[in-house]
Amino acid sequence: MCVPGLNCYSCPGSLGSCPIGSLQAVLGSAKYKFSFYLLGFFLLVGTLFGRLVCGFLCPFGLIQELLYKIPFVKKIKTFRLDRPLRWLKYIILAVFVILLPLFIVDAAGTGSPWFCKWICPAGTLEGGIPLISASPALQGVIGFLFHWKLAILLITVLLSILIYRPFCKYICPLGAIYALFNKVSVYRYHVDREKCTSCGKCEKVCPMQISPVRETNHLECIRCGGCKEICSSGAITSGFSLGSKNKGKKS
Amino acid sequence: MFIWQILLLTAGGLAILAGIYREEVRTVLMKAIYICLECIGIG
């Protein structure tokens, strides 16, 4: 059974499957070329929570969140290519998670999990390092691929100290899927535009660099709750609600 | 919005049932019970 967050099922202690790993496993299998199970899982979890999963249910998101708390001389809030790079995760989703496992197959008709194999640092951290540390047999067979993935993990860790959740912002295909549901999800943010004083505090505090008032439930909103906490007029609220209930008009 | 939410939730539930009926879950389970050497960087 899948869990909502990016949780590598090669981790020795894992009890659930990563939805992105599972999607590649089904698409890359010789038997299936479409996954109803994973489509349904994404529809259900995405429609219920949207990117609340990124903010509160993803173990790799938590690791990045903790790394960002490490003090550093200068944290990078945004940079010139920040916004365009946010689209990279959708390209990674399309190419590495869907197209390559589907079409690059061996003689038996089986495709590789390209994203897990070449990109995902969560697998290296949660599965690779613990398993290889504990097994002399596995230590004897590590090669270029492991060093490549270790380098990606180290870059991700270092960047996570400087930039808030760089993997979630630019790379994560699971976040890309849930982002598509942010505008329609049952758990959502509401802005009471009559209460809003346009002080701009919410925009300044948003770690994903969006404007919670102008871009409520934006694709990049991970529902961290920072804007809600800082809003002194109580204009921003969140909760589970069927239908839309944004109030008033903002001049 | 309400209609979209209900439609998506219903479609999601039905697609999961279709996936279980097609035994896709078995493929996920088979992948999960073995250590995926590619996923951990062994290849």
Short mmCIF file of all heavy atoms in Angstrom, two decimals, chain A residues 51-118:
data_model
loop_
_atom_site.label_atom_id
_atom_site.label_comp_id
_atom_site.label_asym_id
_atom_site.label_seq_id
_atom_site.Cartn_x
_atom_site.Cartn_y
_atom_site.Cartn_z
N ARG A 51 -1.20 20.06 -1.60
CA ARG A 51 0.19 20.02 -1.14
C ARG A 51 0.34 20.11 0.39
O ARG A 51 1.44 20.29 0.89
CB ARG A 51 1.02 21.11 -1.83
CG ARG A 51 1.32 20.75 -3.27
CD ARG A 51 2.37 21.62 -3.88
NE ARG A 51 3.71 21.17 -3.55
CZ ARG A 51 4.82 21.76 -3.98
NH1 ARG A 51 4.73 22.81 -4.77
NH2 ARG A 51 6.01 21.29 -3.63
N LEU A 52 -0.76 19.93 1.09
CA LEU A 52 -0.66 19.77 2.55
C LEU A 52 0.24 18.57 2.85
O LEU A 52 0.96 18.55 3.85
CB LEU A 52 -2.05 19.55 3.15
CG LEU A 52 -2.11 19.30 4.67
CD1 LEU A 52 -1.77 20.58 5.42
CD2 LEU A 52 -3.49 18.79 5.08
N VAL A 53 0.22 17.58 1.94
CA VAL A 53 1.09 16.40 2.09
C VAL A 53 2.55 16.84 2.14
O VAL A 53 3.33 16.35 2.97
CB VAL A 53 0.85 15.42 0.91
CG1 VAL A 53 1.82 14.25 0.98
CG2 VAL A 53 -0.59 14.91 0.90
N CYS A 54 2.94 17.76 1.24
CA CYS A 54 4.33 18.25 1.20
C CYS A 54 4.67 18.95 2.52
O CYS A 54 5.75 18.77 3.07
CB CYS A 54 4.54 19.24 0.07
SG CYS A 54 4.04 18.63 -1.54
N GLY A 55 3.74 19.73 3.01
CA GLY A 55 4.00 20.52 4.21
C GLY A 55 4.06 19.70 5.49
O GLY A 55 4.84 20.01 6.39
N PHE A 56 3.24 18.65 5.58
CA PHE A 56 3.11 17.97 6.87
C PHE A 56 3.23 16.45 6.86
O PHE A 56 3.31 15.84 7.92
CB PHE A 56 1.76 18.34 7.52
CG PHE A 56 1.75 19.74 8.03
CD1 PHE A 56 1.25 20.78 7.27
CD2 PHE A 56 2.29 20.05 9.27
CE1 PHE A 56 1.25 22.09 7.72
CE2 PHE A 56 2.30 21.35 9.74
CZ PHE A 56 1.79 22.38 8.96
N LEU A 57 3.21 15.81 5.70
CA LEU A 57 3.23 14.34 5.71
C LEU A 57 4.47 13.72 5.07
O LEU A 57 4.68 12.52 5.16
CB LEU A 57 1.98 13.79 4.98
CG LEU A 57 0.64 14.05 5.66
CD1 LEU A 57 -0.51 13.55 4.79
CD2 LEU A 57 0.57 13.37 7.01
N CYS A 58 5.30 14.54 4.41
CA CYS A 58 6.43 13.96 3.67
C CYS A 58 7.70 13.90 4.53
O CYS A 58 8.16 14.92 5.03
CB CYS A 58 6.70 14.78 2.42
SG CYS A 58 8.07 14.14 1.47
N PRO A 59 8.27 12.70 4.71
CA PRO A 59 9.48 12.60 5.54
C PRO A 59 10.67 13.35 4.96
O PRO A 59 11.48 13.92 5.70
CB PRO A 59 9.76 11.09 5.61
CG PRO A 59 8.89 10.46 4.60
CD PRO A 59 7.80 11.39 4.24
N PHE A 60 10.79 13.36 3.62
CA PHE A 60 11.93 14.07 3.03
C PHE A 60 11.75 15.59 3.12
O PHE A 60 12.72 16.33 3.22
CB PHE A 60 12.14 13.63 1.57
CG PHE A 60 13.54 13.89 1.10
CD1 PHE A 60 14.61 13.24 1.67
CD2 PHE A 60 13.78 14.81 0.10
CE1 PHE A 60 15.91 13.49 1.25
CE2 PHE A 60 15.08 15.07 -0.33
CZ PHE A 60 16.15 14.42 0.25
N GLY A 61 10.50 16.02 3.13
CA GLY A 61 10.21 17.44 3.36
C GLY A 61 10.62 17.84 4.76
O GLY A 61 11.20 18.90 4.98
N LEU A 62 10.34 16.95 5.73
CA LEU A 62 10.71 17.22 7.13
C LEU A 62 12.23 17.35 7.27
O LEU A 62 12.72 18.26 7.95
CB LEU A 62 10.19 16.08 8.03
CG LEU A 62 10.67 16.10 9.48
CD1 LEU A 62 10.07 17.27 10.24
CD2 LEU A 62 10.34 14.80 10.19
N ILE A 63 12.96 16.45 6.60
CA ILE A 63 14.43 16.50 6.68
C ILE A 63 14.94 17.84 6.15
O ILE A 63 15.79 18.49 6.77
CB ILE A 63 15.04 15.31 5.89
CG1 ILE A 63 14.75 14.01 6.64
CG2 ILE A 63 16.54 15.48 5.69
CD1 ILE A 63 14.95 12.75 5.83
N GLN A 64 14.39 18.28 5.01
CA GLN A 64 14.82 19.57 4.45
C GLN A 64 14.44 20.73 5.38
O GLN A 64 15.19 21.69 5.53
CB GLN A 64 14.18 19.79 3.09
CG GLN A 64 14.68 18.87 2.01
CD GLN A 64 13.85 19.02 0.77
OE1 GLN A 64 14.11 19.86 -0.07
NE2 GLN A 64 12.81 18.22 0.66
N GLU A 65 13.25 20.62 5.97
CA GLU A 65 12.76 21.66 6.88
C GLU A 65 13.74 21.81 8.06
O GLU A 65 14.08 22.92 8.47
CB GLU A 65 11.38 21.22 7.39
CG GLU A 65 10.64 22.25 8.20
CD GLU A 65 9.68 23.08 7.37
OE1 GLU A 65 9.17 22.61 6.35
OE2 GLU A 65 9.46 24.24 7.78
N LEU A 66 14.18 20.66 8.61
CA LEU A 66 15.12 20.68 9.74
C LEU A 66 16.48 21.22 9.32
O LEU A 66 17.11 21.97 10.06
CB LEU A 66 15.26 19.27 10.34
CG LEU A 66 13.99 18.70 10.98
CD1 LEU A 66 14.21 17.27 11.42
CD2 LEU A 66 13.54 19.55 12.17
N LEU A 67 16.92 20.83 8.11
CA LEU A 67 18.22 21.32 7.63
C LEU A 67 18.22 22.85 7.47
O LEU A 67 19.21 23.51 7.75
CB LEU A 67 18.58 20.66 6.29
CG LEU A 67 19.02 19.20 6.37
CD1 LEU A 67 19.04 18.56 4.98
CD2 LEU A 67 20.41 19.10 6.99
N TYR A 68 17.07 23.39 7.05
CA TYR A 68 16.99 24.85 6.85
C TYR A 68 17.06 25.60 8.17
O TYR A 68 17.37 26.78 8.19
CB TYR A 68 15.69 25.18 6.10
CG TYR A 68 15.63 26.62 5.64
CD1 TYR A 68 16.47 27.08 4.63
CD2 TYR A 68 14.75 27.53 6.22
CE1 TYR A 68 16.43 28.39 4.19
CE2 TYR A 68 14.70 28.85 5.79
CZ TYR A 68 15.54 29.27 4.77
OH TYR A 68 15.51 30.58 4.35
N LYS A 69 16.80 24.90 9.26
CA LYS A 69 16.88 25.55 10.58
C LYS A 69 18.33 25.72 11.05
O LYS A 69 18.59 26.44 12.01
CB LYS A 69 16.09 24.74 11.62
CG LYS A 69 14.58 24.83 11.42
CD LYS A 69 13.83 24.20 12.54
CE LYS A 69 12.33 24.17 12.29
NZ LYS A 69 11.72 25.50 12.18
N ILE A 70 19.27 25.05 10.39
CA ILE A 70 20.68 25.22 10.74
C ILE A 70 21.10 26.65 10.38
O ILE A 70 20.91 27.08 9.24
CB ILE A 70 21.57 24.19 9.98
CG1 ILE A 70 21.21 22.77 10.42
CG2 ILE A 70 23.06 24.47 10.20
CD1 ILE A 70 21.88 21.67 9.60
N PRO A 71 21.63 27.38 11.34
CA PRO A 71 21.98 28.78 11.06
C PRO A 71 23.09 28.88 10.01
O PRO A 71 23.99 28.04 9.97
CB PRO A 71 22.48 29.31 12.41
CG PRO A 71 22.06 28.31 13.42
CD PRO A 71 21.93 27.01 12.73
N PHE A 72 22.99 29.89 9.16
CA PHE A 72 24.02 30.13 8.14
C PHE A 72 24.14 31.64 7.94
O PHE A 72 23.17 32.37 8.17
CB PHE A 72 23.65 29.43 6.82
CG PHE A 72 24.81 29.35 5.86
CD1 PHE A 72 25.84 28.44 6.07
CD2 PHE A 72 24.88 30.19 4.76
CE1 PHE A 72 26.92 28.37 5.19
CE2 PHE A 72 25.94 30.13 3.89
CZ PHE A 72 26.97 29.21 4.10
N VAL A 73 25.30 32.07 7.49
CA VAL A 73 25.56 33.51 7.35
C VAL A 73 24.46 34.20 6.55
O VAL A 73 23.88 35.19 6.98
CB VAL A 73 26.93 33.75 6.65
CG1 VAL A 73 27.29 35.22 6.65
CG2 VAL A 73 28.01 32.91 7.31
N LYS A 74 24.17 33.64 5.35
CA LYS A 74 23.13 34.27 4.53
C LYS A 74 22.27 33.21 3.87
O LYS A 74 22.76 32.39 3.10
CB LYS A 74 23.77 35.15 3.46
CG LYS A 74 22.77 35.83 2.55
CD LYS A 74 23.19 37.23 2.16
CE LYS A 74 22.20 37.87 1.21
NZ LYS A 74 20.90 38.13 1.80
N LYS A 75 20.99 33.21 4.20
CA LYS A 75 20.05 32.29 3.57
C LYS A 75 19.58 32.90 2.25
O LYS A 75 19.40 34.11 2.15
CB LYS A 75 18.84 32.06 4.48
CG LYS A 75 19.18 31.48 5.85
CD LYS A 75 19.26 29.98 5.81
CE LYS A 75 19.53 29.42 7.20
NZ LYS A 75 19.67 27.96 7.21
N ILE A 76 19.38 32.03 1.25
CA ILE A 76 18.92 32.52 -0.06
C ILE A 76 17.40 32.40 -0.13
O ILE A 76 16.87 31.29 -0.15
CB ILE A 76 19.60 31.73 -1.21
CG1 ILE A 76 21.12 31.86 -1.11
CG2 ILE A 76 19.10 32.21 -2.56
CD1 ILE A 76 21.88 30.90 -2.01
N LYS A 77 16.70 33.54 -0.17
CA LYS A 77 15.23 33.51 -0.22
C LYS A 77 14.76 33.30 -1.65
O LYS A 77 13.83 32.55 -1.91
CB LYS A 77 14.65 34.80 0.35
CG LYS A 77 14.81 34.87 1.86
CD LYS A 77 13.55 35.37 2.52
CE LYS A 77 13.57 35.03 3.99
NZ LYS A 77 12.33 35.32 4.65
N THR A 78 15.37 34.03 -2.58
CA THR A 78 15.02 33.85 -3.99
C THR A 78 16.22 34.27 -4.84
O THR A 78 17.15 34.88 -4.34
CB THR A 78 13.76 34.66 -4.37
OG1 THR A 78 13.37 34.30 -5.69
CG2 THR A 78 13.97 36.15 -4.29
N PHE A 79 16.22 33.87 -6.08
CA PHE A 79 17.29 34.25 -7.01
C PHE A 79 16.68 34.35 -8.40
O PHE A 79 15.51 34.06 -8.60
CB PHE A 79 18.46 33.25 -6.94
CG PHE A 79 18.04 31.82 -7.15
CD1 PHE A 79 18.12 31.22 -8.38
CD2 PHE A 79 17.55 31.07 -6.08
CE1 PHE A 79 17.74 29.90 -8.56
CE2 PHE A 79 17.15 29.75 -6.26
CZ PHE A 79 17.24 29.17 -7.50
N ARG A 80 17.51 34.73 -9.38
CA ARG A 80 16.98 35.10 -10.69
C ARG A 80 16.19 33.96 -11.36
O ARG A 80 15.16 34.19 -11.97
CB ARG A 80 18.12 35.57 -11.60
CG ARG A 80 17.68 36.51 -12.70
CD ARG A 80 18.85 37.31 -13.24
NE ARG A 80 19.85 36.44 -13.84
CZ ARG A 80 19.92 36.14 -15.13
NH1 ARG A 80 19.03 36.64 -15.96
NH2 ARG A 80 20.87 35.38 -15.60
N LEU A 81 16.69 32.74 -11.25
CA LEU A 81 16.03 31.63 -11.95
C LEU A 81 15.04 30.86 -11.06
O LEU A 81 14.56 29.80 -11.43
CB LEU A 81 17.09 30.66 -12.50
CG LEU A 81 17.92 31.17 -13.67
CD1 LEU A 81 18.99 30.17 -14.03
CD2 LEU A 81 17.06 31.47 -14.89
N ASP A 82 14.76 31.41 -9.88
CA ASP A 82 13.90 30.72 -8.92
C ASP A 82 12.55 30.31 -9.53
O ASP A 82 12.19 29.14 -9.53
CB ASP A 82 13.70 31.64 -7.69
CG ASP A 82 12.82 30.99 -6.63
OD1 ASP A 82 12.67 29.76 -6.65
OD2 ASP A 82 12.28 31.72 -5.78
N ARG A 83 11.83 31.29 -10.08
CA ARG A 83 10.49 31.00 -10.61
C ARG A 83 10.52 30.03 -11.81
O ARG A 83 9.78 29.05 -11.82
CB ARG A 83 9.75 32.29 -10.97
CG ARG A 83 9.12 32.99 -9.74
CD ARG A 83 7.81 32.31 -9.36
NE ARG A 83 7.32 32.78 -8.07
CZ ARG A 83 6.03 32.94 -7.78
NH1 ARG A 83 5.10 32.69 -8.67
NH2 ARG A 83 5.66 33.35 -6.60
N PRO A 84 11.37 30.29 -12.84
CA PRO A 84 11.40 29.34 -13.96
C PRO A 84 11.79 27.92 -13.55
O PRO A 84 11.24 26.94 -14.06
CB PRO A 84 12.46 29.92 -14.91
CG PRO A 84 12.67 31.31 -14.50
CD PRO A 84 12.24 31.45 -13.09
N LEU A 85 12.71 27.82 -12.56
CA LEU A 85 13.16 26.49 -12.13
C LEU A 85 12.06 25.68 -11.45
O LEU A 85 12.14 24.46 -11.37
CB LEU A 85 14.36 26.61 -11.17
CG LEU A 85 15.75 26.64 -11.81
CD1 LEU A 85 16.82 26.86 -10.75
CD2 LEU A 85 16.05 25.37 -12.59
N ARG A 86 11.01 26.37 -10.97
CA ARG A 86 9.91 25.65 -10.32
C ARG A 86 9.21 24.69 -11.31
O ARG A 86 8.54 23.75 -10.91
CB ARG A 86 8.86 26.62 -9.77
CG ARG A 86 9.40 27.68 -8.82
CD ARG A 86 9.62 27.17 -7.43
NE ARG A 86 10.15 28.23 -6.59
CZ ARG A 86 9.50 28.77 -5.57
NH1 ARG A 86 8.30 28.34 -5.24
NH2 ARG A 86 10.05 29.72 -4.84
N TRP A 87 9.35 24.99 -12.63
CA TRP A 87 8.70 24.15 -13.64
C TRP A 87 9.49 22.86 -13.90
O TRP A 87 8.98 21.95 -14.54
CB TRP A 87 8.51 24.93 -14.95
CG TRP A 87 7.57 26.07 -14.77
CD1 TRP A 87 7.91 27.38 -14.62
CD2 TRP A 87 6.14 26.03 -14.66
NE1 TRP A 87 6.78 28.16 -14.43
CE2 TRP A 87 5.68 27.34 -14.46
CE3 TRP A 87 5.20 24.99 -14.73
CZ2 TRP A 87 4.33 27.65 -14.31
CZ3 TRP A 87 3.85 25.30 -14.58
CH2 TRP A 87 3.44 26.62 -14.37
N LEU A 88 10.73 22.83 -13.41
CA LEU A 88 11.59 21.66 -13.64
C LEU A 88 10.96 20.37 -13.09
O LEU A 88 11.07 19.31 -13.70
CB LEU A 88 12.96 21.90 -12.99
CG LEU A 88 14.01 20.80 -13.15
CD1 LEU A 88 14.37 20.60 -14.63
CD2 LEU A 88 15.27 21.15 -12.37
N LYS A 89 10.26 20.47 -11.96
CA LYS A 89 9.67 19.26 -11.37
C LYS A 89 8.60 18.63 -12.26
O LYS A 89 8.41 17.42 -12.25
CB LYS A 89 9.14 19.52 -9.97
CG LYS A 89 8.11 20.62 -9.80
CD LYS A 89 7.73 20.73 -8.33
CE LYS A 89 6.84 21.91 -8.05
NZ LYS A 89 7.53 23.21 -8.15
N TYR A 90 7.92 19.47 -13.06
CA TYR A 90 6.91 18.92 -13.97
C TYR A 90 7.59 18.19 -15.13
O TYR A 90 7.09 17.18 -15.63
CB TYR A 90 6.00 20.05 -14.49
CG TYR A 90 5.26 20.74 -13.38
CD1 TYR A 90 5.74 21.92 -12.82
CD2 TYR A 90 4.10 20.19 -12.84
CE1 TYR A 90 5.09 22.55 -11.77
CE2 TYR A 90 3.43 20.81 -11.79
CZ TYR A 90 3.93 21.98 -11.27
OH TYR A 90 3.28 22.59 -10.23
N ILE A 91 8.74 18.73 -15.57
CA ILE A 91 9.50 18.06 -16.65
C ILE A 91 10.04 16.73 -16.14
O ILE A 91 9.96 15.70 -16.82
CB ILE A 91 10.65 18.99 -17.15
CG1 ILE A 91 10.06 20.26 -17.75
CG2 ILE A 91 11.55 18.27 -18.15
CD1 ILE A 91 11.07 21.35 -18.04
N ILE A 92 10.56 16.73 -14.90
CA ILE A 92 11.08 15.49 -14.31
C ILE A 92 9.96 14.46 -14.17
O ILE A 92 10.14 13.28 -14.47
CB ILE A 92 11.75 15.79 -12.94
CG1 ILE A 92 13.07 16.52 -13.18
CG2 ILE A 92 11.98 14.51 -12.13
CD1 ILE A 92 13.77 17.03 -11.94
N LEU A 93 8.78 14.92 -13.76
CA LEU A 93 7.62 14.01 -13.65
C LEU A 93 7.31 13.38 -15.01
O LEU A 93 7.17 12.15 -15.11
CB LEU A 93 6.40 14.79 -13.12
CG LEU A 93 5.05 14.07 -13.19
CD1 LEU A 93 5.02 12.88 -12.25
CD2 LEU A 93 3.90 15.02 -12.86
N ALA A 94 7.23 14.21 -16.03
CA ALA A 94 6.85 13.70 -17.35
C ALA A 94 7.92 12.78 -17.93
O ALA A 94 7.60 11.69 -18.44
CB ALA A 94 6.58 14.87 -18.31
N VAL A 95 9.19 13.19 -17.84
CA VAL A 95 10.26 12.44 -18.50
C VAL A 95 10.73 11.24 -17.68
O VAL A 95 10.70 10.10 -18.14
CB VAL A 95 11.46 13.38 -18.83
CG1 VAL A 95 12.60 12.60 -19.45
CG2 VAL A 95 11.00 14.49 -19.78
N PHE A 96 11.17 11.49 -16.43
CA PHE A 96 11.82 10.43 -15.65
C PHE A 96 10.83 9.48 -14.96
O PHE A 96 11.18 8.34 -14.70
CB PHE A 96 12.76 11.05 -14.60
CG PHE A 96 14.03 11.57 -15.18
CD1 PHE A 96 14.11 12.84 -15.72
CD2 PHE A 96 15.17 10.77 -15.22
CE1 PHE A 96 15.27 13.32 -16.28
CE2 PHE A 96 16.34 11.24 -15.78
CZ PHE A 96 16.40 12.51 -16.31
N VAL A 97 9.64 9.96 -14.65
CA VAL A 97 8.69 9.11 -13.92
C VAL A 97 7.73 8.39 -14.88
O VAL A 97 7.34 7.25 -14.64
CB VAL A 97 7.89 9.94 -12.88
CG1 VAL A 97 6.86 9.09 -12.16
CG2 VAL A 97 8.84 10.56 -11.87
N ILE A 98 7.37 9.07 -16.00
CA ILE A 98 6.36 8.47 -16.88
C ILE A 98 6.97 7.96 -18.20
O ILE A 98 6.90 6.77 -18.50
CB ILE A 98 5.21 9.48 -17.15
CG1 ILE A 98 4.51 9.83 -15.82
CG2 ILE A 98 4.20 8.88 -18.14
CD1 ILE A 98 3.51 10.95 -15.89
N LEU A 99 7.58 8.85 -18.97
CA LEU A 99 7.97 8.47 -20.34
C LEU A 99 9.11 7.44 -20.39
O LEU A 99 9.00 6.44 -21.10
CB LEU A 99 8.35 9.73 -21.14
CG LEU A 99 7.20 10.72 -21.36
CD1 LEU A 99 7.68 11.96 -22.08
CD2 LEU A 99 6.08 10.05 -22.18
N LEU A 100 10.20 7.68 -19.66
CA LEU A 100 11.34 6.76 -19.75
C LEU A 100 11.01 5.35 -19.22
O LEU A 100 11.30 4.37 -19.91
CB LEU A 100 12.57 7.35 -19.03
CG LEU A 100 13.20 8.57 -19.73
CD1 LEU A 100 14.36 9.13 -18.90
CD2 LEU A 100 13.70 8.21 -21.12
N PRO A 101 10.36 5.20 -18.03
CA PRO A 101 10.01 3.84 -17.60
C PRO A 101 9.03 3.15 -18.55
O PRO A 101 9.04 1.93 -18.70
CB PRO A 101 9.36 4.04 -16.23
CG PRO A 101 9.85 5.35 -15.75
CD PRO A 101 10.02 6.19 -16.98
N LEU A 102 8.22 3.98 -19.24
CA LEU A 102 7.20 3.42 -20.13
C LEU A 102 7.79 2.95 -21.46
O LEU A 102 7.43 1.90 -21.98
CB LEU A 102 6.14 4.51 -20.37
CG LEU A 102 4.72 4.14 -20.78
CD1 LEU A 102 4.12 3.13 -19.84
CD2 LEU A 102 3.86 5.41 -20.82
N PHE A 103 8.74 3.73 -21.99
CA PHE A 103 9.20 3.45 -23.37
C PHE A 103 10.61 2.88 -23.49
O PHE A 103 10.92 2.26 -24.49
CB PHE A 103 9.09 4.73 -24.22
CG PHE A 103 7.67 5.16 -24.41
CD1 PHE A 103 7.19 6.33 -23.86
CD2 PHE A 103 6.77 4.37 -25.13
CE1 PHE A 103 5.86 6.73 -24.01
CE2 PHE A 103 5.45 4.75 -25.28
CZ PHE A 103 4.98 5.93 -24.73
N ILE A 104 11.48 3.10 -22.50
CA ILE A 104 12.83 2.50 -22.58
C ILE A 104 12.78 1.18 -21.82
O ILE A 104 12.90 1.15 -20.59
CB ILE A 104 13.92 3.43 -21.99
CG1 ILE A 104 13.82 4.84 -22.57
CG2 ILE A 104 15.31 2.83 -22.18
CD1 ILE A 104 14.21 4.98 -24.01
N VAL A 105 12.56 0.11 -22.56
CA VAL A 105 12.36 -1.20 -21.91
C VAL A 105 13.38 -2.22 -22.41
O VAL A 105 13.94 -2.07 -23.50
CB VAL A 105 10.92 -1.74 -22.15
CG1 VAL A 105 9.90 -0.89 -21.43
CG2 VAL A 105 10.60 -1.83 -23.63
N ASP A 106 13.62 -3.25 -21.59
CA ASP A 106 14.56 -4.31 -22.00
C ASP A 106 13.83 -5.37 -22.84
O ASP A 106 12.65 -5.21 -23.18
CB ASP A 106 15.25 -4.93 -20.77
CG ASP A 106 14.24 -5.54 -19.80
OD1 ASP A 106 13.08 -5.77 -20.20
OD2 ASP A 106 14.61 -5.78 -18.64
N ALA A 107 14.52 -6.44 -23.14
CA ALA A 107 13.95 -7.47 -24.00
C ALA A 107 12.69 -8.10 -23.40
O ALA A 107 11.80 -8.55 -24.12
CB ALA A 107 14.99 -8.56 -24.26
N ALA A 108 12.61 -8.10 -22.06
CA ALA A 108 11.43 -8.68 -21.40
C ALA A 108 10.27 -7.68 -21.31
O ALA A 108 9.21 -8.01 -20.78
CB ALA A 108 11.81 -9.17 -20.01
N GLY A 109 10.49 -6.46 -21.80
CA GLY A 109 9.43 -5.44 -21.75
C GLY A 109 9.39 -4.69 -20.43
O GLY A 109 8.40 -4.02 -20.12
N THR A 110 10.47 -4.78 -19.64
CA THR A 110 10.49 -4.13 -18.33
C THR A 110 11.32 -2.86 -18.36
O THR A 110 12.45 -2.86 -18.85
CB THR A 110 11.09 -5.10 -17.27
OG1 THR A 110 10.41 -6.34 -17.37
CG2 THR A 110 10.95 -4.54 -15.87
N GLY A 111 10.75 -1.79 -17.82
CA GLY A 111 11.47 -0.51 -17.77
C GLY A 111 12.10 -0.27 -16.41
O GLY A 111 11.71 -0.89 -15.43
N SER A 112 13.08 0.62 -16.36
CA SER A 112 13.75 0.95 -15.09
C SER A 112 13.00 2.06 -14.37
O SER A 112 12.35 2.88 -15.01
CB SER A 112 15.16 1.46 -15.37
OG SER A 112 16.01 0.40 -15.60
N PRO A 113 13.15 2.12 -13.03
CA PRO A 113 12.61 3.28 -12.31
C PRO A 113 13.60 4.45 -12.42
O PRO A 113 14.43 4.65 -11.55
CB PRO A 113 12.51 2.75 -10.87
CG PRO A 113 13.53 1.68 -10.77
CD PRO A 113 13.76 1.13 -12.13
N TRP A 114 13.53 5.17 -13.52
CA TRP A 114 14.55 6.18 -13.87
C TRP A 114 14.72 7.26 -12.82
O TRP A 114 15.83 7.66 -12.52
CB TRP A 114 14.22 6.83 -15.23
CG TRP A 114 14.51 5.92 -16.37
CD1 TRP A 114 13.75 4.85 -16.78
CD2 TRP A 114 15.64 5.95 -17.23
NE1 TRP A 114 14.34 4.24 -17.84
CE2 TRP A 114 15.50 4.90 -18.16
CE3 TRP A 114 16.75 6.79 -17.33
CZ2 TRP A 114 16.43 4.65 -19.15
CZ3 TRP A 114 17.68 6.55 -18.34
CH2 TRP A 114 17.52 5.49 -19.22
N PHE A 115 13.61 7.74 -12.26
CA PHE A 115 13.72 8.81 -11.26
C PHE A 115 14.42 8.27 -10.01
O PHE A 115 15.34 8.90 -9.48
CB PHE A 115 12.33 9.37 -10.90
CG PHE A 115 12.38 10.37 -9.78
CD1 PHE A 115 12.85 11.66 -10.00
CD2 PHE A 115 11.98 10.02 -8.49
CE1 PHE A 115 12.93 12.57 -8.95
CE2 PHE A 115 12.05 10.92 -7.45
CZ PHE A 115 12.53 12.20 -7.68
N CYS A 116 13.98 7.09 -9.54
CA CYS A 116 14.59 6.50 -8.34
C CYS A 116 16.06 6.21 -8.59
O CYS A 116 16.91 6.42 -7.73
CB CYS A 116 13.89 5.19 -7.97
SG CYS A 116 12.16 5.38 -7.58
N LYS A 117 16.35 5.70 -9.77
CA LYS A 117 17.70 5.25 -10.08
C LYS A 117 18.69 6.42 -10.23
O LYS A 117 19.79 6.36 -9.70
CB LYS A 117 17.66 4.44 -11.38
CG LYS A 117 18.99 3.79 -11.74
CD LYS A 117 18.82 2.90 -12.98
CE LYS A 117 20.15 2.30 -13.40
NZ LYS A 117 20.01 1.43 -14.58
N TRP A 118 18.30 7.48 -10.91
CA TRP A 118 19.25 8.53 -11.26
C TRP A 118 19.10 9.82 -10.48
O TRP A 118 20.02 10.64 -10.46
CB TRP A 118 19.17 8.86 -12.77
CG TRP A 118 19.66 7.72 -13.59
CD1 TRP A 118 18.89 6.82 -14.28
CD2 TRP A 118 21.02 7.32 -13.80
NE1 TRP A 118 19.69 5.90 -14.89
CE2 TRP A 118 21.00 6.18 -14.62
CE3 TRP A 118 22.26 7.82 -13.37
CZ2 TRP A 118 22.17 5.53 -15.02
CZ3 TRP A 118 23.42 7.17 -13.77
CH2 TRP A 118 23.37 6.04 -14.58
#
